[in-house]
């Protein structure tokens, strides 16, 4: 029941509470941050809002039967639908979900899939670090969650393949029923900051979680969060604290949207413009010109300025947009910019002669940075395609919107926001990522060119050193021969020698050797060229004589063999 006397009474089965009260507001915050929470339902208008927590199947059935014009907009949020199959069945029956879609929503990963995802995430975070053996057990091996036999991915290979594909950032899903338009995609959340400096590079790609969003024809928005999968904590980090922080970041965006549906939450995000939402405020501003507001199926959109929709249309459309909009994915681009600048400095500084270039750091870092950015590019391209489909379905003149019972449309303000968001994804995100990828490619080319240049310089220095050694050998070889000659112990020779004779001979031979050093290389090249010319002349003459002998003996010559061929 509502806690405020001026709030209209709610259903006897659904324990709604006034969301604008301080104690209810704090309870909502604690609910979102608790892993034991199951679901919540918020109903609001521009004057008041009410919320209920952890509803059961009977409460949901009662909820779908009631129709309160004082709370025309409804938001149903489900945590881990695989553990609330009866609730999901009721929602599916209400909004005509197909059995296939319901099965996909309520299917959780098997322990084997969870272990594989843990290992993949571990590789992305610390690629040089081996995965601990206890990760092979997965979250479900120690009984941390219940597994339903029909929900296991091991039942069907196609389902296992679907779960594997869904785990990539390249995948998103859209579905349409007579009463709802449903999208599913991977949303990113922040990675906890390690208390200790990691010994290796950390991937700039944040962890992700899968979420379904549905826009229904009775001014209801559904948000369905599948079972979360957590990254493994780095070594020397408290695993429990890391788990709690990541869980908090995973639900941070949902919490921000929820709290700002209460008047108590407006001030909390005043200094954070990217996290601000204006759903109830905009309804209050529009209430002076649009007095009629209800939960009846209107299906009228503000997209055509000649038509006027209800405030419930405006609130539902904006709620759907703000749940979709999440700027966490844009955060890592700053880290990418810093890493590109750092690698640019390392690559360009490798031109210094005394600078030791560490290829085992530069090349892998550029490779993994490029890989992370390509994943970001695929993710934002999927978001842009998803926005295109949302706009196509949300327009009142779209042929897709006619497939809905009562129509599922977006107001002009929400369509404009989605359109601007698509432009930002293209001109800010995708173009920036493309620029980083081109810069990384240029850095790789520059690094390899600089490495080849340094290798060429090293080879030139080695050649000069070898030339110097060769010239020194030319200089000392005659002197060594002379010294050996004077050291011969033959009586007929050494009896006529004395010290002056040796030094005279040394001076003459040393002078001749020194002078010959300046001409040795040129003379050697000259003789090599002459010998090559002689070799060519002799080869041609020998070939001609060989052909004459073959012709004299009656054999076919080489020219005749080629003509026959």
């Amino acid at each position: 029941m509502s806690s405020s006397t001026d709030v209209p009474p709610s259903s006897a089965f659904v324990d709604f509470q006034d969301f604008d009260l301080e104690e209810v507001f704090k309870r909502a915050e604690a609910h979102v941050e608790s892993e034991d929470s199951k679901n919540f339902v918020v109903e609001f208008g521009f004057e008041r809002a009410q919320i209920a927590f952890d509803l059961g199947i009977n409460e949901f059935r009662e909820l779908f039967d009631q129709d309160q014009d004082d709370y025309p907009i409804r938001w149903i949020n489900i945590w881990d639908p695989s553990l609330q199959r009866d609730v999901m069945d009721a929602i599916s029956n209400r909004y005509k979900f197909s059995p296939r879609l319901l099965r996909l929503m309520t299917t959780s990963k098997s322990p084997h899939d969870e272990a594989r995802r843990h290992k993949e995430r571990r590789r992305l975070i610390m690629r040089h670090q081996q995965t601990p053996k206890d990760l092979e057990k997965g979250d479900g091996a120690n009984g941390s969650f219940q597994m339903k036999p029909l929900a296991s991915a091991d039942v069907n290979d196609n389902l296992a393949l679907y779960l594997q594909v869904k785990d990539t950032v390249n995948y998103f899903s859209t579905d349409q029923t007579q009463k709802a338009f449903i999208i599913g995609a991977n949303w990113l959340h922040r990675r906890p900051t390690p208390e200790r400096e990691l010994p290796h590079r950390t991937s700039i790609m944040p962890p992700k979680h899968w979420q379904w969003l549905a826009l229904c024809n009775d001014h209801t928005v559904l948000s369905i969060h599948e079972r979360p999968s957590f990254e493994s904590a780095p070594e020397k980090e408290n695993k429990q604290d890391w788990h709690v922080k990541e869980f908090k970041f995973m639900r941070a965006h949902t919490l921000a949207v929820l709290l700002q549906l209460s008047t108590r939450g407006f001030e909390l995000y005043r200094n954070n413009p990217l996290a601000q939402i204006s759903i109830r405020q905009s309804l209050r501003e529009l209430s002076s010109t649009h007095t009629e507001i209800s939960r009846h199926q209107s299906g009228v959109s503000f997209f055509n300025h000649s038509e006027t929709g209800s405030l419930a249309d405006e609130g539902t459309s904006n709620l759907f947009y703000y749940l979709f909009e999440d700027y966490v994915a844009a955060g890592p681009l700053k880290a990418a910019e810093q890493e590109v600048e750092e690698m640019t400095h390392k690559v360009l500084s490798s031109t210094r002669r005394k600078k030791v270039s560490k290829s085992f750091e530069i090349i892998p870092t550029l490779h993994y940075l490029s890989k992370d950015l390509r994943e970001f590019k695929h993710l934002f391209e999927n978001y842009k395609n998803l926005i295109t489909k949302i706009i196509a379905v949300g327009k009142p003149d779209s042929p897709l919107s006619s497939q809905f019972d009562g129509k599922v449309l977006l107001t002009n303000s929400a369509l404009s926001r989605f359109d601007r968001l698509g432009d930002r994804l293209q001109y800010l995100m995708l173009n920036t990522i493309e620029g980083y990828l081109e810069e990384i490619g240029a850095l790789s080319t520059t690094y390899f060119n600089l490495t080849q240049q340094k290798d060429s310089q090293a080879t030139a220095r080695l050649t000069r050193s070898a030339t110097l050694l060769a010239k020194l050998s030319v200089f000392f070889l005659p002197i060594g021969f002379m010294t050996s000659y004077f050291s011969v112990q033959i009586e007929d020779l050494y009896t006529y020698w004395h010290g002056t004779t040796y030094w005279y001979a040394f001076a003459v031979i040393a002078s001749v050797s020194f002078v010959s050093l300046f001409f040795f290389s040129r003379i050697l090249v000259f003789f090599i060229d002459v010998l090559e010319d002689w070799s060519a002349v002799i080869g041609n003459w020998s070939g001609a004589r060989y052909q004459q002998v073959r012709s004299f003996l009656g054999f076919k010559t080489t020219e005749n063999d080629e003509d026959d061929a």
Side-chain angles (χ1 to χ4, degrees):
M1 299 294 293
S2 175
S3 301
S4 179
T5 57
D6 58 344
V7 176
S10 302
S11 169
F13 294 96
V14 182
D15 185 19
F16 276 110
Q17 303 177 50
D18 188 352
F19 196 18
D20 293 332
L21 297 179
E22 180 69 21
E23 59 272 17
V24 180
F25 179 80
K26 292 182 177 180
R27 182 183 175 187
E29 184 176 6
H31 170 87
V32 175
E33 295 178 351
S34 173
E35 294 191 45
D36 297 329
S37 57
K38 297 181 179 179
N39 56 71
F40 66 78
V41 177
V42 181
E43 295 181 344
F44 63 94
F46 66 89
E47 291 183 349
R48 55 179 65 89
Q50 62 180 8
I51 186 171
F53 306 99
D54 297 334
L55 279 67
I57 178 61
N58 294 329
E59 294 170 306
F60 268 103
R61 290 171 179 170
E62 177 65 22
L63 182 71
F64 292 144
D65 291 337
Q66 69 182 18
D67 184 15
Q68 298 187 26
D69 293 342
D70 295 292
Y71 303 97
I73 306 167
R74 177 182 292 161
W75 174 20
I76 300 176
N77 183 86
I78 304 296
W79 311 111
D80 193 359
S82 63
L83 300 181
Q84 305 178 65
R85 291 182 173 277
D86 52 352
V87 172
M88 290 301 302
D89 288 339
I91 295 176
S92 175
N93 294 332
R94 170 73 174 185
Y95 298 108
K96 306 300 182 182
F97 290 179
S98 65
R100 175 181 178 274
L101 177 61
L102 177 62
R103 175 71 184 278
L104 294 179
M105 285 183 173
T106 56
T107 298
S108 60
K109 295 182 177 64
S110 66
H112 173 75
D113 296 326
E114 290 289 342
R116 182 193 59 79
R117 182 168 181 176
H118 275 295
K119 292 171 65 177
E120 177 67 14
R121 293 242 183 183
R122 187 71 169 184
R123 183 189 65 80
L124 291 174
I125 298 176
M126 301 184 66
R127 53 186 171 82
H128 296 291
Q129 183 176 345
Q130 294 183 353
T131 305
K133 294 182 179 179
D134 58 354
L135 293 179
E136 300 293 336
K137 299 178 180 179
D139 285 344
N142 55 6
S144 59
F145 58 84
Q146 299 176 359
M147 292 295 299
K148 299 296 184 65
L150 293 178
S152 174
D154 298 329
V155 174
N156 190 294
D157 292 338
N158 293 332
L159 187 58
L161 179 61
Y162 163 77
L163 293 176
Q164 182 177 358
V165 172
K166 192 178 71 171
D167 197 31
T168 64
V169 297
N170 303 355
Y171 182 78
F172 70 91
S173 176
T174 61
D175 207 334
Q176 297 176 220
T177 70
Q178 295 180 354
K179 296 186 176 182
F181 173 68
I182 306 101
I183 63 173
N186 283 301
W187 268 260
L188 304 181
H189 57 270
R190 286 179 53 191
R191 178 181 291 112
T193 303
E195 297 182 359
R196 300 173 179 83
E197 184 177 357
L198 298 179
H200 304 292
R201 175 186 179 271
T202 302
S203 172
I204 64 173
M205 186 69 183
K208 58 184 180 295
H209 60 278
W210 184 271
Q211 180 183 2
W212 300 89
L213 293 178
L215 179 64
C216 306
N217 67 337
D218 59 349
H219 301 140
T220 299
V221 176
L222 304 176
S223 59
I224 302 171
H225 305 258
E226 294 193 354
R227 182 195 306 277
S229 181
F230 299 93
E231 287 187 342
S232 299
E235 290 185 355
K236 299 181 180 180
E237 293 288 336
N238 188 294
K239 293 181 174 54
Q240 182 62 29
D241 292 344
W242 186 275
H243 178 89
V244 172
K245 291 178 182 178
E246 184 178 356
F247 183 80
K248 183 177 180 180
F249 290 145
M250 191 181 301
R251 295 189 176 182
H253 180 66
T254 303
L255 179 63
V257 176
L258 175 63
L259 295 184
Q260 293 183 75
L261 293 180
S262 170
T263 55
R264 303 280 179 176
F266 298 157
E267 296 296 328
L268 293 179
Y269 296 88
R270 181 176 296 276
N271 298 325
N272 188 1
L274 292 181
Q276 287 181 357
I277 65 172
S278 55
I279 300 178
R280 289 184 64 184
Q281 296 92 322
S282 61
L283 294 180
R284 184 175 292 106
E285 294 173 359
L286 293 173
S287 61
S288 58
T289 57
H290 300 77
T291 57
E292 182 181 358
I293 181 169
S294 67
R295 189 174 290 152
H296 298 294
Q297 300 176 2
S298 64
V300 180
S301 171
F302 289 160
F303 187 80
N304 290 334
H305 296 284
S306 60
E307 297 179 354
T308 303
S310 69
L311 292 181
D313 294 323
E314 179 74 11
T316 306
S317 300
N318 288 334
L319 175 60
F320 182 78
Y321 169 79
Y322 285 117
L323 288 175
F324 182 91
E325 180 195 50
D326 190 356
Y327 285 98
V328 172
L333 292 183
K334 183 63 177 178
E337 179 184 4
Q338 296 175 353
E339 196 162 0
V340 169
E341 292 178 354
E342 180 182 354
M343 298 309 300
T344 302
H345 175 72
K346 288 184 178 180
V347 169
L348 296 182
S349 63
S350 64
T351 57
R352 302 174 186 174
R353 182 175 178 179
K354 296 182 179 180
K355 182 70 174 179
V356 179
S357 178
K358 298 181 179 180
S359 299
F360 65 90
E361 290 183 357
I362 294 178
I363 295 177
T365 301
L366 290 176
H367 169 74
Y368 283 101
L369 179 58
S370 177
K371 181 179 179 180
D372 291 341
L373 289 175
R374 287 195 300 269
E375 284 189 301
F376 270 117
K377 183 179 179 181
H378 295 157
L379 178 68
F380 288 126
E381 287 176 344
N382 287 339
Y383 285 163
K384 186 178 179 181
N385 293 335
L386 199 54
I387 289 174
T388 302
K389 293 182 178 297
I390 292 173
I391 294 177
V393 173
K395 290 182 179 180
D397 54 351
S398 172
L400 297 177
S401 62
S402 61
Q403 302 177 11
F404 299 100
D405 182 10
K407 296 187 180 182
V408 177
L409 303 177
L410 293 172
T411 61
N412 186 55
S413 60
L415 287 171
S416 299
R417 288 188 175 98
F418 274 112
D419 187 58
R420 293 195 300 268
L421 181 59
D423 292 339
R424 289 195 293 269
L425 289 178
Q426 178 62 51
Y427 297 113
L428 296 181
M429 307 301 182
L430 290 175
N431 290 355
T432 301
I433 292 174
E434 190 64 32
Y436 288 156
L437 290 174
E438 293 178 356
E439 189 170 353
I440 290 174
L443 283 177
S444 300
T445 304
T446 302
Y447 178 73
F448 286 120
N449 291 338
L450 293 176
T451 302
Q452 292 178 357
Q453 182 180 0
K454 293 182 67 175
D455 292 341
S456 300
Q457 294 174 352
T459 303
R461 290 194 297 268
L462 182 61
T463 302
R464 290 194 297 268
S465 300
T467 303
L468 178 61
L469 292 175
K471 291 181 177 182
L472 291 176
S473 300
V474 172
F475 180 79
F476 285 104
L477 185 61
I479 296 176
F481 175 76
M482 181 203 68
T483 303
S484 301
Y485 178 79
F486 276 98
S487 64
V488 174
Q489 298 297 318
I490 300 177
E491 186 175 356
D492 293 340
L493 296 178
Y494 72 80
T495 56
Y496 299 99
W497 297 339
H498 48 80
T500 304
T501 305
Y502 174 80
W503 289 114
Y504 281 147
F506 179 84
V508 173
I509 293 176
S511 299
V512 173
S513 299
F514 182 77
V515 172
S516 65
L517 290 178
F518 296 96
F519 302 98
F520 177 76
S521 58
R522 293 188 177 181
I523 293 174
L524 182 61
V525 172
F526 173 76
F527 279 112
I528 290 175
D529 293 339
V530 172
L531 290 175
E532 288 180 352
D533 293 338
W534 288 359
S535 176
V537 171
I538 294 173
N540 293 334
W541 183 85
S542 300
R545 301 288 80 78
Y546 175 73
Q547 295 298 333
Q548 290 178 359
V549 172
R550 285 175 58 91
S551 177
F552 178 77
L553 296 177
F555 295 101
K556 292 183 179 180
T557 61
T558 305
E559 290 80 1
N560 294 333
D561 294 341
E562 293 178 354
D563 294 338
D564 294 341

